Amino acid sequence: MTAIHGNGGILRERDGHEARVSYAELFFDLVYVFAVTQLSHSLLHHLSWGGALETLILWFAVWLVWQYTCWFTNWFDPEKTPIRICLFVLMAVGLVMAAAIPEAFNERGLIFACCIAAMQVGRSAFALVQLGRASPLTANFQRLMIWSAIAACFWIAGGLTEGSVRIVLWVIAVGCEYFAPMFGLWLPILGRSDAGSEWTIEGGHLVERCALFVIVALGESILVTGATLSESESWELPALIAFLVAFVGSIAMWWVYFDTSTRDATEVIVESDNPGQLGAYIHYLHVLLVAGVIVAAVGNDLSLKHPDQPVDIAGLAVIYGGPAIYLIGNAIYKRLIYGRIPISHIAGLLALAIAVPFSFSTDLLMIGGITTVIVLAVAVWEGCISRQSRAPAARHAS
């Protein structure tokens, strides 16, 4: 791994020890607790295919800002005052962005778009000012800023339009920022970033940051569970059972992700011949994994508020879709770490599919219970049965 030493002391020192997540980064993540809550409520209040598409676009936007900031603090030392100030400014703008989410496809679309553009372009511009011309990272951030500026044009153009035109323009903006790093941020004249020198990363820091965002999403699910119970007019048996089912479901999702894979992922990245690319793959994957937690939280909300009601197509989609997306994300994550997809995850997905046809003859509480039992079974299978047979794969990303 190529060492990249600090410019004026603002870059993290690569001294052979894994960088730790700072308190400033944890403080920064508080904005995303609010953002995830806004997204789940937005989906709950617009439970349709159109609402799902809009929420998906907004989720990608939120995730990309967080992801790019995570890479930024992987290189820059957040213990240094200029970097902390940059994070605090990003927090302020991010809070406005999150507040605009419920009306992002209405009258606050331009505000949302300007916040995204300001954070993405502004962060890279700040990095370039701090780096100067001599740093090995300079060319990387030049490409990053140009791609962010291209995406910003589509974000702002979408904010100035309405309806399907806004959707199309914002999908293009997401594509620019999501896929460009996969191709080394290639640009005419500037070329592409070199994964060996310009994308040098601290694997443990990156894995820990991803894990903390999963905690943020699961925390939002816990908050929804507690808040919904608190708002219930009468704590009758169905409501209390629904509360227990939702809570156990959150524990099961935590167990599936955190039991061993987060610890082993650090080792895999560190030992990889191409840690930057492997780290990017792991980071990209978490947009799917965390989306599963957000959708599952919406399903929990439905089950808690209407435990004895029959399910409709929209309710079925979120109650089964959340755990399914989450298991798919975890399966791919573990494929990157261990070199194979766990049988337990495949079995869990098959069990969810088999249960769907029977769901129309029962109520939301029972369906929530079924999905919780399935995810819990996957967690137990992984934690108690498959633990001894797992070992990190020797990864050599190309």
Side-chain angles (χ1 to χ4, degrees), residues 278-300:
L278 181 57
Y281 288 159
I282 288 175
H283 224 156
Y284 290 137
L285 174 61
H286 276 73
V287 72
L288 174 67
L289 199 150
V290 178
V293 180
I294 295 172
V295 176
V298 175
N300 288 342

Side-chain angles (χ1 to χ4, degrees), residues 66-75 199 201 206 276 279-280 283:
W66 182 87
Q67 176 179 308
Y68 278 38
T69 304
C70 181
W71 283 89
F72 173 78
T73 55
N74 195 272
W75 288 310
W199 283 94
I201 63 167
L206 191 69
H283 224 156

Side-chain angles (χ1 to χ4, degrees), residues 27-215:
F27 188 46
F28 173 81
D29 285 352
L30 291 177
V31 170
Y32 290 87
V33 176
F34 178 50
V36 168
T37 300
Q38 292 282 77
L39 287 165
S40 64
H41 287 179
S42 178
L43 179 58
L44 181 64
H45 296 145
H46 301 88
L47 209 51
S48 63
W49 290 113
L53 176 60
E54 291 177 358
T55 304
L56 180 64
I57 294 170
L58 298 176
W59 162 233
F60 264 95
V62 168
W63 172 261
L64 286 165
V65 172
W66 182 87
Q67 176 179 308
Y68 278 38
T69 304
C70 181
W71 283 89
F72 173 78
T73 55
N74 195 272
W75 288 310
F76 289 83
D77 187 354
E79 296 298 326
K80 304 301 180 181
T81 299
I83 310 306
R84 281 185 175 179
I85 293 173
C86 179
L87 286 178
F88 296 157
V89 171
L90 290 171
M91 283 180 69
V93 181
L95 200 58
V96 177
M97 172 200 70
I101 284 175
E103 297 296 324
F105 281 92
N106 294 307
E107 68 270 14
R108 292 179 183 165
L110 184 58
I111 295 174
F112 180 86
C114 287
C115 288
I116 295 288
M119 285 187 286
Q120 297 293 73
V121 176
R123 187 197 314 102
S124 295
F126 171 83
L128 286 172
V129 170
Q130 296 295 321
L131 288 170
R133 295 184 178 182
S135 173
L137 289 174
T138 298
N140 190 35
F141 274 95
Q142 286 174 341
R143 299 183 188 97
L144 197 61
M145 188 176 73
I146 292 172
W147 272 109
S148 294
I150 292 170
C153 294
F154 289 102
W155 284 118
I156 294 173
L160 293 169
T161 59
E162 297 179 354
S164 59
V165 177
R166 178 176 295 178
I167 290 175
V168 170
L169 290 171
W170 282 3
V171 166
I172 295 172
V174 165
C176 288
E177 300 201 84
Y178 189 76
F179 292 108
M182 294 184 184
F183 300 98
L185 300 169
W186 182 88
L187 287 166
I189 301 176
L190 290 178
R192 70 177 65 244
S193 294
D194 182 83
S197 61
E198 296 173 324
W199 283 94
T200 303
I201 63 167
E202 292 282 0
H205 174 266
L206 191 69
V207 170
E208 191 175 357
R209 294 297 288 125
C210 289
L212 287 170
F213 203 100
V214 175
I215 287 288

Side-chain angles (χ1 to χ4, degrees), residues 215-233:
I215 287 288
V216 166
L218 287 171
E220 195 278 334
S221 180
I222 295 291
L223 287 174
V224 167
T225 301
T228 304
L229 180 65
S230 176
E231 294 169 0
S232 299
E233 294 182 2

